[in-house]
């Protein structure tokens, strides 16, 4: 009676439900544990029964699978001490399921994107100069082909405006006023035109063809009857044709 009481206590504490079937040396129940899992309970409580009978039934039920003991009830002697002779074993078949710890998902680190520098604006290229005229007495010494600072400054601007430009045809025409002989005027106008050509070429101006001529007092742009008119006629015209 005492043993039966212990069995009832064990069933109430850990087992939610039971289904029974019996053999000649044991009683076997299919039980549902409190956590909802299915288990088996073998009882060997008769006088001719033993713990070996229970273990034999455990091995028969589990077969090749290992038996995992959930609980057991030992026989109690007259001194109320355990005989280490379990006559009731609750067990499950198969290795216990070990819950793996849930690993936290790795933190997603956004890549550091370096700011993209805005492209530097393309330099604004100056349009090539197509024509420049050296006119008046400030460009050459009197009666000479020597270039004065005013002329070289104008020519430097012309070179800079056409830097890197491949010019197909460059015309340089020199003119004088009507004072003096035609021979002198032709020679002086040609010398001034060549002086301009040399300065441009030394400054890096490129041209496939150079047309350099002196025309003397021909093609005046102003009357030669006044000093102002004659000063305008003393000139060198530089003209770009093509690129």
């Amino acid at each position: 009676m005492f043993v039966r009481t212990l069995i009832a206590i064990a069933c109430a504490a850990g087992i939610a439900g039971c289904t029974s079937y019996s053999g000649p040396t044991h009683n076997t129940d299919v039980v549902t544990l409190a956590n909802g899992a299915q288990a088996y309970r073998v009882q060997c409580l008769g006088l001719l029964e033993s713990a070996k009978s229970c273990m034999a039934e455990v091995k028969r039920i589990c077969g090749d699978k290992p038996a995992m003991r959930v609980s057991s009830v030992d026989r109690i002697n007259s001194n109320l001490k355990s005989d280490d002779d379990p006559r009731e074993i609750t067990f499950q078949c198969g290795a216990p399921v070990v819950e793996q710890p849930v690993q936290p998902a790795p933190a997603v680190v956004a890549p550091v994107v370096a700011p993209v520098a805005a492209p530097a604006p393309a330099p604004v290229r100056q349009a090539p100069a197509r024509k420049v005229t050296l006119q008046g007495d400030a460009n050459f010494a009197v009666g000479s082909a020597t270039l004065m600072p005013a002329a070289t400054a104008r020519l430097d601007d012309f070179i800079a405006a056409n830097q890197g430009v491949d010019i197909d045809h460059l015309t340089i025409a020199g003119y004088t006023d009507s004072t003096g002989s035609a021979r002198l005027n032709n020679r002086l106008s040609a010398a001034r035109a060549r002086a301009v050509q040399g300065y441009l070429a030394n400054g890096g101006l490129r041209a496939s063809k150079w047309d350099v001529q002196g025309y003397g007092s021909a093609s005046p742009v102003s009357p030669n009857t006044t000093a102002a008119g004659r000063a305008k006629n003393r000139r060198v015209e530089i003209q770009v044709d093509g690129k």
Side-chain angles (χ1 to χ4, degrees):
M1 183 65 179
F2 186 75
V3 173
R4 293 290 184 181
T5 303
L6 292 177
I7 294 171
I9 294 172
C11 185
I15 301 173
C18 303
T19 300
S20 301
Y21 63 94
S22 301
T25 60
H26 60 81
N27 293 327
T28 302
D29 299 325
V30 178
V31 299
T32 302
L33 302 180
N35 62 1
Q38 180 178 291
Y40 299 93
R41 183 181 62 194
V42 177
Q43 295 175 319
C44 304
L45 303 175
L47 296 175
L48 299 178
E49 298 171 0
S50 66
K52 292 182 180 180
S53 301
C54 288
M55 292 306 301
E57 178 65 6
V58 170
K59 292 180 180 180
R60 186 193 68 78
I61 292 174
C62 289
D64 295 334
K65 297 180 181 179
M68 181 182 67
R69 183 178 300 190
V70 177
S71 64
S72 61
V73 178
D74 288 348
R75 288 174 60 86
I76 304 299
N77 59 28
S78 60
N79 295 323
L80 298 180
K81 294 184 179 180
S82 173
D83 286 340
D84 193 20
D85 183 17
R87 296 301 182 92
E88 178 179 321
I89 302 173
T90 303
F91 64 97
Q92 290 177 298
C93 296
V97 178
V98 179
E99 294 186 1
Q100 298 295 329
V102 178
Q103 298 294 332
V108 178
V109 180
V112 178
V113 180
V116 178
V124 179
R125 185 170 182 175
Q126 185 177 356
R130 309 299 297 179
K131 184 176 181 179
V132 63
T133 300
L134 304 181
Q135 193 174 46
D137 295 333
N139 296 293
F140 295 94
V142 178
S144 169
T146 302
L147 290 166
M148 302 292 285
T152 57
R154 295 286 303 281
L155 294 178
D156 288 339
D157 291 341
F158 184 78
I159 293 170
N162 291 280
Q163 191 69 37
V165 177
D166 293 324
I167 299 172
D168 293 337
H169 188 190
L170 186 65
T171 299
I172 303 175
Y175 299 93
T176 65
D177 59 23
S178 59
T179 304
S181 65
R183 182 180 179 182
L184 176 63
N185 289 337
N186 288 338
R187 186 170 65 247
L188 181 60
S189 62
R192 289 178 172 177
R194 288 193 297 271
V196 170
Q197 177 194 17
Y199 191 88
L200 294 177
N202 290 335
L205 196 69
R206 299 194 300 267
S208 299
K209 181 180 179 180
W210 298 77
D211 186 2
V212 183
Q213 298 289 337
Y215 296 99
S217 59
S219 303
V221 295
S222 187
N224 283 303
T225 55
T226 64
R230 289 191 292 274
K232 291 181 179 181
N233 291 331
R234 295 190 289 271
R235 69 195 188 277
V236 176
E237 297 176 351
I238 304 111
Q239 176 72 45
V240 173
D241 299 317
K243 289 185 179 179

